[in-house]
Amino acid sequence: MSTLIFRTVAPFLTALMLLFSVFVLLRGHNEPGGGFIGGLIAVSALAIYGIAFGVAAMRRAIVLHPLTIAGIGLVASTLAGLVSLAAGVPFMTGLWIEPSFAGVTVPLSTVTLFDIGVYLVVIGGIGSIAMTLEEEGDL
């Protein structure tokens, strides 16, 4: 199904979907969005790229092995919980800091770190499954 039109449009569509997935991720924890749905959108973008150019091109595009990405996400999510324990509050309690960069206050939280971890776990886990299924389909 890899037509010339599809192969031409796939990189632009992939980039647009990845950008939208980051928007949904950063939109956050208290509004519709977050790490899980952002990760699903990102994996869908990578799947479109993989269908257009093959699994080998998709593996080259993501650089790291998908399970490594999932492992990094799991560590980030766990770290978000451990920070709260180190602060003396219950596990997975949201904590915020507001550092200033060039005169702009940027609120950072453990909730955002947790969402980024979930985002990476979803990309790694579902991406690994999708690539394995696509490789088996090529045989």
Side-chain angles (χ1 to χ4, degrees), residues 4 8 12-13 35 39 44 49 52 67 70 77 81 85 88 92 105 114-116 119:
L4 178 62
T8 303
F12 300 108
L13 185 59
S44 299
Y49 190 81
L67 294 180
S77 295
L85 286 178
M92 296 300 283
T105 302
F114 178 78
D115 277 343
I116 290 170
Y119 180 81

Side-chain angles (χ1 to χ4, degrees), residues 28-60:
H29 192 74
N30 295 324
E31 295 179 23
F36 186 77
I37 191 64
L40 289 177
I41 294 168
V43 168
S44 299
L46 294 173
I48 288 172
Y49 190 81
I51 291 168
F53 297 103
V55 176
M58 184 175 157
R59 285 192 188 277
R60 285 190 306 274

Side-chain angles (χ1 to χ4, degrees), residues 10-121:
F12 300 108
L13 185 59
T14 299
L16 186 63
M17 288 177 70
L18 287 173
L19 185 64
F20 182 66
S21 77
V22 171
F23 168 76
V24 169
L25 164 68
L26 296 177
R27 185 171 179 194
H29 192 74
N30 295 324
E31 295 179 23
F36 186 77
I37 191 64
L40 289 177
I41 294 168
V43 168
S44 299
L46 294 173
I48 288 172
Y49 190 81
I51 291 168
F53 297 103
V55 176
M58 184 175 157
R59 285 192 188 277
R60 285 190 306 274
I62 62 171
V63 181
L64 296 174
H65 191 278
L67 294 180
T68 302
I69 295 170
I72 292 168
L74 189 59
V75 168
S77 295
T78 304
L79 184 62
L82 293 177
V83 167
S84 62
L85 286 178
V89 294
F91 186 69
M92 296 300 283
T93 300
L95 301 172
W96 284 261
I97 59 171
E98 295 185 0
S100 292
F101 298 108
V104 177
T105 302
V106 179
L108 300 174
S109 69
T110 57
V111 176
T112 304
L113 180 61
F114 178 78
D115 277 343
I116 290 170
V118 170
Y119 180 81
L120 293 174
V121 167

Side-chain angles (χ1 to χ4, degrees), residues 1-12 52-53:
M1 186 189 127
S2 186
T3 65
L4 178 62
I5 295 171
F6 184 55
R7 284 187 310 235
T8 303
V9 172
F12 300 108
F53 297 103

